[in-house]
């Protein structure tokens, strides 16, 4: 009976994980639907409507009191308060650069960035949390470095999007590790911190007559309002996934997201997958293989 319950929980967790990482992986398709709206304006709407949608979730699930309590605890300590503000800033840059990159036809670069992300996270853990890497993990980081170097040598171009996107997300993850609050409280606070700036920017555009709500049709407006939904739903799935699955399985499933994005960039939007890309992705995939095997050995 207990085994059946565990198996059902495992299957449920896998479905939630596929839902979370699958939705994150196809998110470029959503941003492409409103590519005619400037990236910064999309970003402002994403913060605003995410705050609205997450607030509704907190309200209807009875989590508002927990949110209030965790918010008070977070900002009663200046260090955790600064970290929360810094996390919000990292989300601002991560979301903003990602949306701009998709609009600019750089989906492959964002996919490469999210493949690099777990390797970059372990480097930050070494530097800031004094964790140490074994030989396989150091080899993984070295192969990722070789992959990026290969792209620079073969194309003469540094894929900065592939570095900035995972860097901001890895720093965000490091900050979140030091702020012990629930995912919903964290997401709500991250959006609320930036909310005055985002509202101010949209009001400025409105006064100039350049707000998307003044210029575009109802479909575009629905997509902008939907930014909150496409942000919050994967978060809900991810939170449920982490409660049902062991951490190593959750970590392995994260590769679904950049894989889908890469396929979308190449097959749907005709982004060039050159020999340089092949070498770079190949080295990083090899590094991730060693990294995943190392994580698996630790769990045995």
């Amino acid at each position: 009976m207990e085994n059946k319950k565990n198996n059902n929980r495992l299957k449920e967790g896998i479905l939630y994980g596929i839902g979370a990482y699958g939705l994150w992986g196809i998110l470029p398709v959503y941003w492409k639907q409103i590519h005619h709206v400037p990236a910064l304006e999309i970003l402002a709407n994403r913060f605003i409507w995410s705050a609205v949608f997450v607030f509704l979730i907190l309200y209807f699930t009875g989590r508002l009191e927990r949110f209030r309590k965790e918010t008070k605890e977070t900002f009663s300590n200046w260090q955790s308060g600064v970290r929360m503000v810094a996390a919000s800033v990292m989300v601002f840059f991560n979301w903003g650069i990602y949306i701009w990159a998709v609009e600019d036809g750089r989906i492959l670069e964002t996919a490469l960035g999210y493949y690099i992300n777990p390797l970059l996270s372990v480097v930050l853990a070494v530097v800031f949390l004094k964790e140490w890497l074994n030989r396989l993990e150091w080899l993984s980081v070295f192969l990722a470095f070789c992959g990026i170097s290969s792209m620079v040598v073969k194309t003469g171009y540094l894929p900065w999007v592939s570095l900035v996107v995972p860097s901001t997300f890895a720093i965000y993850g490091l900050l979140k590790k030091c702020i012990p609050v629930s995912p919903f409280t964290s997401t709500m606070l991250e959006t609320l911190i930036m909310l005055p700036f985002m509202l101010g920017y949209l009001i400025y555009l409105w006064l100039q007559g350049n707000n998307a709500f003044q210029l575009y049709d109802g479909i575009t407006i629905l997509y902008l309002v939907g930014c909150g939904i496409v942000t919050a739903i994967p978060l809900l799935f991810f939170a449920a996934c982490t409660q049902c699955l062991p951490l190593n399985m959750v970590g392995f499933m994260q590769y679904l997201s950049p894989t889908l994005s890469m396929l979308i960039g190449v097959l749907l939007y005709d982004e060039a997958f050159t020999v340089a890309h092949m070498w770079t992705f190949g080295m990083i995939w090899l590094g991730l293989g060693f990294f995943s095997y190392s994580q698996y050995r630790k769990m045995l």
Side-chain angles (χ1 to χ4, degrees):
M1 190 69 176
E2 187 66 27
N3 286 337
K4 184 178 180 181
K5 184 178 179 181
N6 289 336
N7 287 336
N8 288 337
R9 187 173 176 81
L10 188 66
K11 291 176 183 177
E12 186 179 329
I14 291 172
L15 290 175
Y16 279 127
I18 292 172
Y21 288 114
L23 287 172
W24 279 325
I26 64 173
L27 205 52
V29 177
Y30 192 91
W31 304 131
K32 281 287 191 181
Q33 304 310 305
I34 44 177
H35 68 277
H36 51 286
V37 180
L40 186 56
E41 189 170 357
I42 295 175
L43 179 62
N45 275 280
R46 188 177 188 183
F47 269 96
I48 291 166
W49 296 111
S50 294
V52 171
F53 195 70
V54 174
F55 173 80
L56 292 174
I57 293 173
L58 291 172
Y59 179 78
F60 286 108
T61 57
R63 289 186 171 98
L64 276 179
E65 180 56 30
R66 182 179 180 184
F67 167 73
R68 186 197 65 77
K69 182 180 178 182
E70 289 184 335
T71 299
K72 184 178 179 181
E73 290 173 354
T74 299
F75 289 102
S76 63
N77 180 297
W78 73 267
Q79 288 182 322
S80 60
V82 168
R83 287 168 183 155
M84 181 58 73
V85 172
S88 181
V89 172
M90 286 300 105
V91 167
F92 172 81
F93 282 109
N94 183 264
W95 286 1
I97 293 169
Y98 180 81
I99 293 169
W100 172 83
V102 170
E103 288 194 339
D104 199 51
R106 298 169 181 248
I107 297 175
L108 273 180
E109 288 188 37
T110 65
L112 178 60
Y114 280 115
Y115 277 123
I116 295 171
N117 181 69
L119 303 178
L120 191 56
S121 293
V122 299
V123 172
L124 290 180
V126 169
V127 174
F128 292 101
L129 302 180
K130 307 304 179 185
E131 297 179 8
W132 194 245
L133 306 184
N134 59 38
R135 291 179 181 178
L136 280 178
E137 289 167 339
W138 276 120
L139 177 60
S140 303
V141 173
F142 175 72
L143 287 170
F145 174 78
C146 289
I148 292 294
S149 300
S150 171
M151 176 73 79
V152 174
V153 170
K154 290 180 180 294
T155 66
Y157 164 71
L158 177 67
W160 64 270
V161 170
S162 301
L163 297 175
V164 175
V165 167
S167 296
T168 52
F169 195 77
I171 294 170
Y172 167 74
L174 178 66
L175 290 165
K176 289 286 287 288
K177 190 177 179 68
C178 302
I179 309 171
V181 297
S182 64
F184 288 107
T185 295
S186 179
T187 303
M188 189 74 224
L189 287 176
E190 290 154 16
T191 53
L192 284 177
I193 288 167
M194 298 302 297
L195 201 60
F197 305 102
M198 300 294 97
L199 278 172
Y201 177 65
L202 291 187
I203 290 170
Y204 168 77
L205 291 179
W206 185 276
L207 294 175
Q208 298 294 315
N210 290 324
N211 192 297
F213 280 71
Q214 297 168 294
L215 299 176
Y216 300 113
D217 58 13
I219 298 298
T220 298
I221 292 171
L222 284 175
Y223 272 111
L224 290 173
V225 174
C227 288
I229 298 174
V230 300
T231 299
I233 288 181
L235 176 65
L236 281 169
F237 287 164
F238 178 73
C241 168
T242 56
Q243 291 175 356
C244 299
L245 297 180
L247 189 60
N248 65 326
M249 189 175 291
V250 175
F252 182 75
M253 291 183 75
Q254 72 180 308
Y255 303 134
L256 173 63
S257 176
T259 301
L260 287 174
S261 293
M262 182 190 68
L263 292 173
I264 286 169
V266 174
L267 301 178
L268 196 58
Y269 296 111
D270 299 319
E271 292 190 19
F273 192 79
T274 63
V275 173
H277 285 100
M278 193 178 300
W279 275 100
T280 301
F281 274 90
M283 287 184 184
I284 289 171
W285 284 335
L286 182 60
L288 288 173
F290 285 124
F291 179 76
S292 299
Y293 177 66
S294 174
Q295 297 302 300
Y296 172 73
R297 284 176 56 183
K298 287 180 179 180
M299 297 297 294
L300 293 178

